[in-house]
Amino acid sequence: MTNTDNQLFSVEEAFNRLGQNKEQGCLLVTKGADLIHIYVQDGFVVRAHSAILEQAAAVEQALKLKETSYTWLRGSQPPHPSKNVYLSIAELSAKFGSAAKPKMIATSKLAGVKKVEPEAKFRYFLVPQDRPTEKVYLTKNSTVIGRDKTSDLYVDNSDVSWRHCLLDIQARGISILDLNSTNGTFVNGTLVRDAALNHGDRIELGPYLFTINREAMDRP
């Protein structure tokens, strides 16, 4: 990405391109007195800060501010590299970007009359191949699977990336997003980056194989 790209893309689009291209530098986002530094490298945010926010909160601020401008500082690195963090750009974009906003469905021809998409009707769980009687319930709308012990679902294997993939539950169903993993995410034997999942699909992460299942939620 070049410095002139800020005439072509929104901040969110530029942020996503930096993740896809795995560039290194600083995305400097500005609006009035607001100034947000987002240092990226190899598909990760390694440091982010504004006057009052840091890391993921600062990225969220940058993606949600309206009518912002930005400058791309190629090759720029934050001071004190030993303090770097590694937050997946794909994960942050899925969590804070426009695609993560609740969708509205028009229910009338009258302007402004809209209905919120209904809540999910199912509970989803994973069944590990080596433990077919076990149910690993997905208790969050967004579940990160990876080798990082802070992941929502911890998998201890060197073939699984630090933060490997994200399972996202919405009213219309469940989907999977690869978080720029080293060895890739496979669904039913096919390498995917972003895909909808169906009941019975098999998810493969390195040597681990899970089957996605669902059950109807109890209603009061």
Side-chain angles (χ1 to χ4, degrees):
M1 196 172 82
T2 65
N3 285 338
T4 58
D5 285 337
N6 60 353
Q7 305 299 315
L8 303 176
F9 306 109
S10 67
V11 169
E12 183 178 348
E13 289 169 336
F15 183 66
N16 289 335
R17 285 172 64 87
L18 292 173
Q20 294 166 5
N21 297 336
K22 298 186 177 182
E23 301 213 33
Q24 177 176 317
C26 179
L27 189 67
L28 193 63
V29 181
T30 58
K31 180 183 179 181
D34 291 312
L35 180 62
I36 307 168
H37 294 74
I38 303 176
Y39 292 92
V40 302
Q41 179 181 328
D42 298 328
F44 291 89
V45 171
V46 295
R47 194 86 59 82
H49 63 85
S50 64
I52 58 175
L53 299 174
E54 294 186 356
Q55 314 309 16
V59 174
E60 180 180 11
Q61 180 187 17
L63 295 182
K64 292 186 175 180
L65 280 174
K66 303 297 184 182
E67 298 179 356
T68 54
S69 60
Y70 67 85
T71 301
W72 169 239
L73 306 176
R74 183 187 297 277
S76 181
Q77 300 182 40
H80 311 298
S82 62
K83 296 182 179 181
N84 283 357
V85 297
Y86 290 88
L87 306 174
S88 165
I89 290 177
E91 182 181 343
L92 291 170
S93 182
K95 187 173 183 180
F96 301 128
S98 58
K101 296 178 181 178
K103 298 183 183 299
M104 307 292 283
I105 302 175
T107 58
S108 170
K109 293 183 180 180
L110 296 176
V113 179
K114 295 186 177 181
K115 182 180 179 180
V116 177
E117 191 174 357
E119 295 181 358
K121 298 179 181 179
F122 301 99
R123 288 195 303 173
Y124 292 89
F125 59 92
L126 299 176
V127 176
Q129 183 185 38
D130 59 342
R131 301 187 302 277
T133 61
E134 182 177 337
K135 294 181 179 180
V136 182
Y137 283 95
L138 305 179
T139 59
K140 297 181 178 181
N141 288 338
S142 296
T143 299
V144 174
I145 304 176
R147 193 157 41 93
D148 185 348
K149 291 185 177 181
T150 65
S151 298
D152 301 305
L153 180 55
Y154 170 60
V155 178
D156 185 13
N157 188 278
S158 59
D159 289 332
V160 176
S161 291
W162 202 243
R163 297 173 77 80
H164 196 104
C165 66
L166 172 76
L167 294 174
D168 184 40
I169 299 174
Q170 298 183 12
R172 63 179 177 270
I174 184 170
S175 61
I176 190 167
L177 174 68
D178 183 79
L179 299 176
N180 294 319
S181 65
T182 300
N183 294 319
T185 299
F186 294 80
V187 175
N188 299 328
T190 300
L191 180 66
V192 301
R193 186 182 184 280
D194 186 1
L197 296 175
N198 297 306
H199 178 75
D201 281 348
R202 293 174 294 108
I203 302 169
E204 185 179 349
L205 314 174
Y208 287 86
L209 186 66
F210 301 93
T211 301
I212 185 73
N213 285 274
R214 71 184 189 186
E215 59 189 23
M217 296 180 66
D218 295 331
R219 296 294 180 181

